[in-house]
Amino acid sequence: MKISTEEVSRLLAFAPSDRGYSRSVSTPTIAIADFDINTDAATVQVSSSAHEVQQIKRLVNSLPDQRTERVQALKAQVENGTYNVSAEDIADLTIRRVLADNTAI
């Protein structure tokens, strides 16, 4: 499943923010400091963006793979012959999805 930036922004809107401003998605950075080839370990500093990416990953992983209620409702509509989608709606959603997936972060 591919997650677009629009979907990530929607998830962040539901995540609690302790900073008091809306979040934007940016590329996480990891800086390796004080690296010495003769030592056993290096010091790693993880940016707040990387922490946000981890939080988003936890939120996404906690979501169910299926929305059971929605699936049952659609299944009932198909079985009853009442499920109708216009070609215009399909085209509109297809274009929106392509634009959302191709939006740069």
Side-chain angles (χ1 to χ4, degrees):
M1 178 171 105
K2 183 175 180 180
I3 299 176
S4 68
T5 55
E6 181 178 295
E7 291 166 324
V8 171
S9 296
R10 235 179 296 152
L11 282 173
L12 283 174
F14 291 113
S17 174
D18 56 345
R19 292 179 283 198
Y21 62 88
S22 66
R23 300 177 187 207
S24 63
V25 180
S26 61
T27 305
T29 58
I30 299 175
I32 299 176
D34 303 325
F35 183 74
D36 184 357
I37 200 163
N38 297 322
T39 62
D40 293 334
T43 303
V44 177
Q45 297 174 345
V46 181
S47 71
S48 63
S49 296
H51 287 290
E52 287 181 1
V53 169
Q54 289 173 348
Q55 182 181 9
I56 292 168
K57 185 176 179 183
R58 282 192 301 275
L59 286 170
V60 169
N61 287 339
S62 70
L63 295 174
D65 288 338
Q66 296 180 358
R67 296 181 292 169
T68 307
E69 299 84 20
R70 180 73 175 136
V71 170
Q72 293 301 324
L74 290 172
K75 186 176 181 180
Q77 286 179 349
V78 169
E79 289 173 355
N80 295 332
T82 58
Y83 180 74
N84 296 310
V85 180
S86 72
E88 184 178 322
D89 289 342
I90 293 171
D92 182 57
L93 290 173
T94 302
I95 291 169
R96 286 175 186 257
R97 184 57 194 230
V98 167
L99 291 173
D101 288 343
N102 290 322
T103 301
I105 295 179

